[in-house]
Amino acid sequence: MSRIRLCRRSSCFLCPSSFTSPIQRPCFHRSSYIQPKSGLRLRHCSTTPMSRVRLHRRLLSSTSPPSPSWSPRDAFAAATERVRAGTLSRDDAHHMFDELFRQATPVPGRSLNGFLAALARATSSSACITDGPALALALFNRVCREQAGPRVVPLTVHTYSILMDCCCRARRPDLGLALFGCILRTGLKMDQITASTLLKCLCYANRTEEAVNVLLHRMSELGCVPNAFSYSIILKGLCGNSMSQRALDLFQMMAKQGGACSPNVVAYNTVIHGFFKEGETGKACSLFHEMKRQGVVPSVGTYNLIIDALCKARAMDKAELVLRHMTTNGAQPNTVTYSCMIHGYATLGRLKEAAKMFREMKKRGLIPDIVTCNSLMASLCKHGRSKEAAQFFDSMTAKGHKPDIVSYCTLLHGYASEGCFADMIGLFNSMKSNGIAADCRVFTILIDAYAKRGMVDDAMLIFTEMQQQGVSPNVVTYSTVISAFSRMGRLTDAMEKFNQMVARGIQPNTAVYRSIIQGFCKHGGLVKAKELVSEMINKGIPRPDIVFFSSVINSLCKDGRVMDAHDIFDLVTDIGERPDVITFNSLIDGYCLVGKMDKAFKILDAMEVVGVEPDIVTYSTLVDGYFKNGRINDGLTLFREMLCKGVKPDTITYNIILDGLFRSGRTVAARKKFHEMIESGTTVTVSTYGIILGGLCRNNCADEAIILFQKLGTMNVKFSITILNTMINAMYKVQRKEEAKELFVTISASGLLPNESTYGVMIINLLKDGAVEDANNMFSSMEKSGIVPGSRLLNRIIRMLLEKGEIAKAGNYLSKVDGKSISLEASTTSLMLSLFSREGKYREDMKLLPAKYNFFDRFG
């Protein structure tokens, strides 16, 4: 690729010698040559000022004869209109220039400039022009190439300005600066537009300080006077580089100069937006108020900036106020305004408000764009309402809004999250018929949906289909598949996919390594896990930290695999990681769960050796382990040691001790510990009261528990349903049946709902009292409230009815036993066998049972 000469120091505007003023200035020039970063390049054209473009006569001799009816002016005018209408293709443009080169007729500069300007601002279209600015530069290069030699294409300063703007839009501001150097070398007179385009090129090239210098000190030497537009370009450049405070300083300089430089609404909006982007909400709002004080009327864009920032900050009430203020002041909200509000409410899950805004938007005659629709759909899916999202999707399609790939991805993800696989596959199949090609994101959503539910083989079928359709999996797709295989212990398959992605040039990221290392850690491949950690280090990928390994250790300990967890702990130290208090606590908890208290205590000693201070969680875990393993005294001894070391017990610690003392029958010691808890200032929670009330009831202190319960009620303590269940049972136990029934009736009034345990307590106690009909009515009430009885409760009811000789009623409950969610317990079967066998007490009544239980008469 050829290089572009940007400056010849003797004539480049970037060097001091380009200016006639004797004042010494710093040289801003870049390297004399710049290698273009893309396919764009500019060819040198000498530029003798002329008003018309004439083609080199020598070229005509090598082309076909000119078309006598072809008019360059008309051709360029028609092409310009087609560019604006989005119907001109790249080939059309080149064909027009082919015809141009066959003509002897001069092309007016105005026509050429109009065409290039239209290309610079052309909207990208997959069917027509995909990059208008790049096409304009390519055509310019073509003209230069065809005219190489002593005769050259003359360009005006306006043409150069348009081409400089094209360079900025094509993200090649360096080429724009090269063109500006050509202007200076040819002596073309500068105008305000060219100077502003120069500032734009400098800002796009991240040479903002140089742009400020040109604006403040050198524009006058170029024959131009800065105006509000010039300043706005620099303000945008500064704010784009997170230099909003510097922009504000320049803004205040504008205000002092006044006249043509007085800040307008665009300048205000630019700086306000900059402050919002940098999180300087206070400064942005202050400038907004200053704007109104100076008599500059905020535009719809100004209000949109503020509303958008407030919505992103989740301050929806304030955003509503600004919206009302906006309409009061005569600024009409547009699609952007409502989109911001809808997205803000949708993000917070306030779907009613989002829907209200959507309706208000349509009432104003505004058509929601696809981004707004997708935002509302995403919120519905996020909150488990994919069916409603699908209805919205269908209505959106019916009203002429064509869903895009994001729409499909959103709804597919919603279905996947809720396990609606049939709907998910149906939507996927509909994409092709609706002209939407499934991309990598779509296939990854489907694969992830199956993989997360352990349906890895189904996921792999989609993975295969994806590649058959010519869609290449990316690192996220591979990460999903590898993670699924690793979770299931299919480490050979996981490594196969890992090696496959590497072979295809897709570099595994941290997520891929973490999932496969976790798989090897959990399934006994510690050597391989260590190899993978070393591989990460060698590749410069951040290795899994102690938080990751602590999570793995904790998971293994919860599963009772404490020895495997200890192996991971050793691996952590081998690779140079330092276990923290969470790691040690997880391992201690694991040993406590399997009853190996001596080993758990050794971990405590190891902590202190390596300088990790045990915290309250450490001691609470050990105390809980001692109590649950019946070593009450050891637990209390450790508790005292903890106090001596200055570790203050919290509510959880005291709850553990109180529960342990009550369960071991040490009621007096529990009472003392409770008073100690209060005196220490430790917070007493509802859970604490539940432990005490339950402990008193278990230790035959029901009357004391009832007194405490009533006292707490006068203190407006908010009880849980578990406590109320305990107290109802306690009242029945001490024959305070009416109080128990009254407490049951008042549950709803207290803002709680009876659960299965509540109804179970009532039914069992009614049956004990022989109130079979009342018990049946209570069971019916439970079913009507939507509570499904559990197998344990149903078996207990059946046994009690059988023991009372209520065979027919027991048969009704036996009919609810389905052998799936509810099945007969061994004790129930044993009782039925003894009652209905050949020598059983109720053998003759067996006909009252469901037919499937008639086989009992064969025994005995």
Side-chain angles (χ1 to χ4, degrees):
M1 188 176 289
S2 62
R3 294 186 175 184
I4 302 158
R5 186 175 295 276
L6 276 184
C7 66
R8 299 167 183 168
R9 292 175 184 248
S10 60
S11 60
C12 178
F13 88 100
L14 297 173
C15 298
S17 57
S18 298
F19 296 88
T20 56
S21 170
I23 300 175
Q24 184 66 32
R25 296 180 180 84
C27 177
F28 297 108
H29 76 86
R30 299 178 71 170
S31 169
S32 295
Y33 295 94
I34 285 190
Q35 181 73 33
K37 300 171 189 173
S38 67
L40 292 177
R41 63 178 107 177
L42 295 181
R43 295 183 178 272
H44 177 67
C45 249
S46 66
T47 51
T48 304
M50 291 177 63
S51 61
R52 294 179 179 271
V53 177
R54 293 185 180 276
L55 298 180
H56 191 201
R57 295 282 182 185
R58 185 167 53 85
L59 178 66
L60 297 176
S61 62
S62 63
T63 60
S64 59
S67 172
S69 61
W70 194 79
S71 165
R73 183 193 299 272
D74 294 342
F76 272 88
T80 300
E81 289 305 315
R82 288 184 63 191
V83 171
R84 290 170 181 159
T87 60
L88 184 79
S89 70
R90 184 182 185 88
D91 288 341
D92 292 337
H94 279 288
H95 287 325
M96 184 182 71
F97 271 70
D98 289 340
E99 184 67 27
L100 175 66
F101 293 141
R102 290 196 290 268
Q103 304 300 316
T105 309
V107 179
R110 185 184 292 269
S111 298
L112 177 63
N113 290 347
F115 177 67
L116 294 175
L119 283 177
R121 292 166 175 77
T123 304
S124 294
S125 167
S126 58
C128 299
I129 298 172
T130 56
D131 192 340
L135 178 57
L137 292 171
L139 293 172
F140 164 73
N141 278 337
R142 236 191 112 181
V143 171
C144 294
R145 183 174 61 247
E146 301 290 352
Q147 290 301 301
R151 292 185 176 88
V152 295
V153 177
L155 300 177
T156 67
V157 71
H158 304 298
T159 314
Y160 275 115
S161 295
I162 294 166
L163 292 169
M164 287 170 65
D165 184 51
C166 286
C167 291
C168 288
R169 292 172 186 269
R171 296 175 295 280
R172 289 304 309 274
D174 53 332
L175 301 183
L177 295 175
L179 285 166
F180 185 76
C182 292
I183 293 175
L184 291 180
R185 285 196 297 276
T186 56
L188 291 172
K189 185 179 178 182
M190 291 276 295
D191 63 6
Q192 193 68 46
I193 295 174
T194 310
S196 296
T197 309
L198 166 64
L199 296 175
K200 187 177 176 182
C201 286
L202 287 168
C203 289
Y204 272 51
N206 291 322
R207 296 163 66 177
T208 316
E209 287 300 333
E210 295 175 53
V212 172
N213 184 52
V214 171
L215 174 74
L216 299 180
H217 305 298
R218 306 180 69 175
M219 276 188 73
S220 58
E221 297 173 15
L222 295 171
C224 303
V225 178
N227 58 16
F229 183 66
S230 310
Y231 274 97
S232 293
I233 291 171
I234 305 299
L235 293 175
K236 184 179 179 181
L238 289 167
C239 292
N241 286 319
S242 301
M243 299 167 65
S244 297
Q245 184 57 51
R246 179 85 171 85
L248 181 61
D249 296 338
L250 185 64
F251 181 90
Q252 290 166 345
M253 192 181 299
M254 281 179 73
K256 287 180 182 178
Q257 287 186 10
C261 293
S262 295
N264 56 18
V265 68
V266 175
Y268 275 104
N269 287 355
T270 301
V271 183
I272 287 171
H273 181 55
F275 278 129
F276 274 132
K277 273 203 327 184
E278 293 176 37
E280 297 281 359
T281 307
K283 290 181 179 179
C285 292
S286 296
L287 191 57
F288 174 68
H289 295 308
E290 176 65 23
M291 174 184 189
K292 293 192 290 184
R293 281 196 297 270
Q294 294 298 327
V296 179
V297 180
S299 65
V300 174
T302 315
Y303 285 110
N304 286 348
L305 287 172
I306 296 169
I307 288 172
D308 181 53
L310 291 171
C311 290
K312 286 176 179 174
R314 304 192 169 195
M316 296 308 300
D317 294 340
K318 291 181 180 178
E320 282 274 10
L321 287 173
V322 174
L323 179 61
R324 286 198 290 271
H325 181 73
M326 175 183 184
T327 53
T328 302
N329 289 346
Q332 295 302 313
N334 60 13
T335 303
V336 175
T337 317
Y338 282 106
S339 294
C340 291
M341 294 296 295
I342 291 168
H343 183 70
Y345 278 126
T347 302
L348 292 173
R350 296 170 63 177
L351 299 177
K352 287 184 179 179
E353 290 92 336
K356 177 186 171 187
M357 280 291 158
F358 197 84
R359 290 192 297 271
E360 186 179 317
M361 179 182 189
K362 292 196 291 184
K363 193 182 292 183
R364 285 181 174 270
L366 298 171
I367 300 174
D369 60 15
I370 194 65
V371 176
T372 308
C373 295
N374 288 346
S375 176
L376 194 55
M377 273 182 26
S379 183
L380 286 166
C381 291
K382 182 181 177 182
H383 292 87
R385 296 164 65 175
S386 59
K387 297 293 184 185
E388 292 175 57
Q391 291 172 1
F392 181 78
F393 179 92
D394 293 336
S395 67
M396 179 176 77
T397 306
K399 291 175 182 176
H401 293 288
K402 186 177 180 181
D404 60 8
I405 192 70
V406 176
S407 313
Y408 280 98
C409 284
T410 300
L411 191 51
L412 285 169
H413 191 270
Y415 281 143
S417 299
E418 296 177 41
C420 303
F421 285 9
D423 293 323
M424 180 181 74
I425 295 301
L427 181 65
F428 170 73
N429 291 334
S430 72
M431 290 179 68
K432 188 175 182 180
S433 59
N434 291 327
I436 303 290
D439 62 6
C440 186
R441 288 174 296 172
V442 171
F443 282 107
T444 301
I445 289 169
L446 301 183
I447 292 167
D448 185 58
Y450 285 108
K452 280 183 175 174
R453 284 165 175 77
M455 304 163 69
V456 184
D457 293 333
D458 293 302
M460 289 311 301
L461 288 174
I462 297 172
F463 185 82
T464 303
E465 182 184 343
M466 171 186 188
Q467 295 171 88
Q468 288 173 349
Q469 292 190 19
V471 180
S472 298
N474 62 12
V475 67
V476 179
T477 318
Y478 275 109
S479 179
T480 302
V481 172
I482 290 169
S483 179
F485 280 136
S486 298
R487 281 195 304 270
M488 297 183 69
R490 294 172 59 175
L491 299 174
T492 302
D493 293 326
M495 282 306 300
E496 180 189 339
K497 293 303 170 192
F498 180 86
N499 294 329
Q500 185 185 96
M501 72 181 293
V502 173
R504 291 183 176 182
I506 302 171
Q507 290 304 313
N509 59 14
T510 304
V512 174
Y513 275 105
R514 283 169 67 103
S515 61
I516 201 164
I517 289 170
Q518 186 171 9
F520 279 112
C521 285
K522 285 190 172 183
H523 297 92
L526 294 187
V527 174
K528 185 63 179 178
K530 192 172 181 179
E531 285 178 13
L532 289 167
V533 171
S534 300
E535 186 177 310
M536 290 180 75
I537 295 170
N538 293 335
K539 288 184 176 180
I541 301 172
R543 70 184 181 191
D545 56 14
I546 193 61
V547 175
F548 167 79
F549 284 111
S550 295
S551 173
V552 175
I553 289 169
N554 185 59
S555 177
L556 289 170
C557 287
K558 295 295 184 191
D559 291 340
R561 297 170 57 189
V562 66
M563 297 309 296
D564 291 334
H566 206 135
D567 289 340
I568 306 296
F569 182 88
D570 294 336
L571 172 66
V572 169
T573 56
D574 288 345
I575 64 173
E577 280 287 347
R578 186 173 185 269
D580 59 12
V581 68
I582 297 173
T583 319
F584 281 107
N585 288 348
S586 297
L587 202 53
I588 287 172
D589 185 47
Y591 279 118
C592 290
L593 286 173
V594 297
K596 296 184 178 181
M597 295 307 302
D598 293 338
K599 288 194 174 182
F601 199 80
K602 285 180 180 178
I603 300 296
L604 176 65
D605 293 336
M607 286 179 74
E608 294 172 342
V609 169
V610 298
V612 177
E613 287 293 327
D615 59 9
I616 186 59
V617 177
T618 315
Y619 285 106
S620 296
T621 303
L622 281 165
V623 170
D624 187 47
Y626 279 128
F627 273 78
K628 284 180 177 174
N629 285 282
R631 296 171 62 175
I632 308 299
N633 291 332
D634 289 334
L636 292 173
T637 300
L638 183 62
F639 178 76
R640 287 189 291 270
E641 288 179 12
M642 178 186 82
L643 295 176
C644 292
K645 291 184 177 180
V647 180
K648 186 178 180 181
D650 59 9
T651 304
I652 294 173
T653 316
Y654 275 110
N655 285 354
I656 288 168
I657 294 173
L658 289 170
D659 187 58
L661 290 172
F662 275 121
R663 288 185 184 279
S664 64
R666 301 189 185 189
T667 309
V668 176
R671 289 194 188 97
K672 288 181 180 178
K673 194 60 67 177
F674 178 58
H675 291 303
E676 179 186 310
M677 177 182 183
I678 295 171
E679 289 170 2
S680 68
T682 306
T683 303
V684 179
T685 64
V686 173
S687 298
T688 312
Y689 288 125
I691 290 168
I692 294 167
L693 292 169
L696 289 171
C697 293
R698 276 196 303 274
N699 287 280
N700 299 316
C701 301
D703 288 321
E704 184 181 347
I706 293 169
I707 293 169
L708 176 60
F709 174 75
Q710 292 169 341
K711 183 179 178 181
L712 294 172
T714 60
M715 296 165 59
N716 294 320
V717 173
K718 299 295 181 183
F719 298 114
S720 65
I721 190 65
T722 304
I723 292 176
L724 296 183
N725 294 345
T726 300
M727 296 316 300
I728 290 171
N729 197 44
M731 290 172 180
Y732 267 113
K733 193 173 183 179
V734 294
Q735 301 302 308
R736 297 168 71 164
K737 300 173 186 177
E738 293 305 317
E739 290 179 62
K741 292 176 183 177
E742 184 180 339
L743 180 57
F744 174 79
V745 171
T746 60
I747 286 176
S748 298
S750 64
L752 298 171
L753 291 174
N755 58 16
E756 190 210 0
S757 296
T758 317
Y759 283 107
V761 167
M762 292 297 296
I763 291 167
I764 297 305
N765 280 291
L766 287 169
L767 288 174
K768 283 180 180 178
D769 290 342
V772 177
E773 286 302 322
D774 290 341
N776 285 339
N777 293 336
M778 187 65 68
F779 188 88
S780 298
S781 298
M782 177 177 69
E783 288 188 312
K784 287 177 183 176
S785 66
I787 297 173
V788 179
S791 185
R792 184 178 179 184
L793 173 61
L794 207 58
N795 273 272
R796 191 171 181 190
I797 293 171
I798 291 168
R799 288 196 300 270
M800 291 185 74
L801 288 171
L802 290 174
E803 287 167 354
K804 290 180 178 294
E806 297 284 351
I807 310 302
K809 288 185 171 58
N812 291 335
Y813 288 99
L814 279 166
S815 65
K816 299 178 186 295
V817 176
D818 57 9
K820 296 177 183 177
S821 58
I822 299 174
S823 57
L824 287 182
E825 294 175 356
S827 55
T828 309
T829 304
S830 177
L831 177 61
M832 291 179 69
L833 186 61
S834 65
L835 294 176
F836 299 111
S837 61
R838 291 175 186 174
E839 297 179 1
K841 182 178 179 181
Y842 298 114
R843 182 171 179 270
E844 296 301 324
D845 296 322
M846 191 170 57
K847 60 186 177 182
L848 299 175
L849 300 178
K852 62 182 178 179
Y853 296 106
N854 289 339
F855 65 89
F856 278 107
D857 66 349
R858 302 172 195 165
F859 298 93

